[in-house]
Amino acid sequence: MPTMKSGPVWEGKTVYKATITVRLKESVLDPQGSAVQGSLHSLGYEEVRQVRIGKTMEVWLETADFQEASDRVDAMCRKLLANPVIEDYEFRLEKGA
Amino acid sequence: MPTMKSGPVWEGKTVYKATITVRLKESVLDPQGSAVQGSLHSLGYEEVRQVRIGKTMEVWLETADFQEASDRVDAMCRKLLANPVIEDYEFRLEKGA
């Protein structure tokens, strides 16, 4: 499996990389997932029982410290990146140049 | 941060859950990521330096063993779920009812 290199470099400042995953809440129907499941079945992958599709976002941000980065990313998720009515979000944060 | 419950249950057979992440190769431009970055800036998150968007797919499949599940998921990625020209993929596999 291919592995991914770390993010870009910015003038030696503290850049954090957030990897955010946004998924539909379990109670919400996933027509896109059902469509992919149908395609997999037509390609012969009958063993597939269910498919759920979500988004992954890598965000590089430049902040003073880890807590500030975490608070800001959480706010970005609540305000823009995830729809709180139908989606759940989670993220991990790494210190990276 | 909200946590996610495990997948659905199927008659006690061995169901594996693959969590697949598909991202654009680093050399490929990401207009969607740039658009999200612009929106975050307009919301006041000037500290954001770059955004890259990808897909995450949860696939439940019923197979005899772990190796077969891994081989089949890899084939699904190569044949349908990831475009080998512009995308990279990786996945993790969990045993789950």
Side-chain angles (χ1 to χ4, degrees), chain B residues 46-64:
Chain B
E46 304 291 342
E47 68 269 36
V48 171
R49 288 291 165 263
Q50 187 178 7
V51 178
R52 302 274 298 176
I53 309 274
K55 286 172 287 191
T56 180
M57 287 169 260
E58 292 170 308
V59 176
W60 285 265
L61 66 159
E62 206 179 280
T63 62

Side-chain angles (χ1 to χ4, degrees), chain A:
Chain A
M1 258 173 321
T3 54
M4 264 156 256
K5 292 197 313 294
S6 70
V9 177
W10 276 285
E11 311 98 27
K13 290 202 180 168
T14 308
V15 176
Y16 291 89
K17 177 184 162 189
T19 303
I20 302 162
T21 302
V22 177
R23 290 189 180 92
L24 289 171
K25 291 182 190 286
E26 289 205 15
S27 56
V28 177
L29 270 179
D30 182 0
Q32 198 183 359
S34 307
V36 169
Q37 181 176 351
S39 302
L40 288 171
H41 281 180
S42 58
L43 285 173
Y45 299 101
E46 304 291 343
E47 68 270 35
V48 172
R49 289 291 164 263
Q50 186 179 7
V51 177
R52 301 275 297 176
I53 308 276
K55 287 172 288 193
T56 180
M57 289 169 260
E58 291 171 308
V59 176
W60 285 265
L61 67 159
E62 205 179 281
T63 62
D65 58 47
F66 193 89
Q67 188 55 52
E68 184 188 334
S70 181
D71 294 343
R72 295 289 278 179
V73 170
D74 198 61
M76 291 177 210
C77 290
R78 278 182 288 106
K79 285 188 185 152
L80 179 73
L81 304 178
N83 175 342
V85 176
I86 59 167
E87 291 174 329
D88 287 325
Y89 67 87
E90 58 187 31
F91 63 87
R92 72 171 187 278
L93 205 53
E94 301 160 78
K95 190 173 177 183

Side-chain angles (χ1 to χ4, degrees), chain B:
Chain B
M1 256 175 319
T3 55
M4 263 157 256
K5 290 198 310 305
S6 70
V9 177
W10 275 286
E11 311 100 25
K13 291 201 179 172
T14 308
V15 176
Y16 291 88
K17 176 185 163 187
T19 303
I20 302 162
T21 303
V22 177
R23 291 188 179 90
L24 289 171
K25 290 181 190 287
E26 288 204 17
S27 56
V28 177
L29 270 180
D30 182 0
Q32 197 183 359
S34 307
V36 169
Q37 181 177 351
S39 302
L40 288 170
H41 281 181
S42 58
L43 284 173
Y45 298 103
E46 304 291 342
E47 68 269 36
V48 171
R49 288 291 165 263
Q50 187 178 7
V51 178
R52 302 274 298 176
I53 309 274
K55 286 172 287 191
T56 180
M57 287 169 260
E58 292 170 308
V59 176
W60 285 265
L61 66 159
E62 206 179 280
T63 62
D65 58 47
F66 192 90
Q67 189 55 51
E68 184 189 333
S70 181
D71 295 344
R72 295 289 278 179
V73 170
D74 198 62
M76 291 175 210
C77 290
R78 279 181 287 105
K79 286 190 184 149
L80 179 74
L81 303 178
N83 176 341
V85 176
I86 60 167
E87 292 173 330
D88 287 325
Y89 67 87
E90 60 187 29
F91 63 88
R92 72 172 187 278
L93 204 54
E94 301 159 77
K95 189 172 177 184

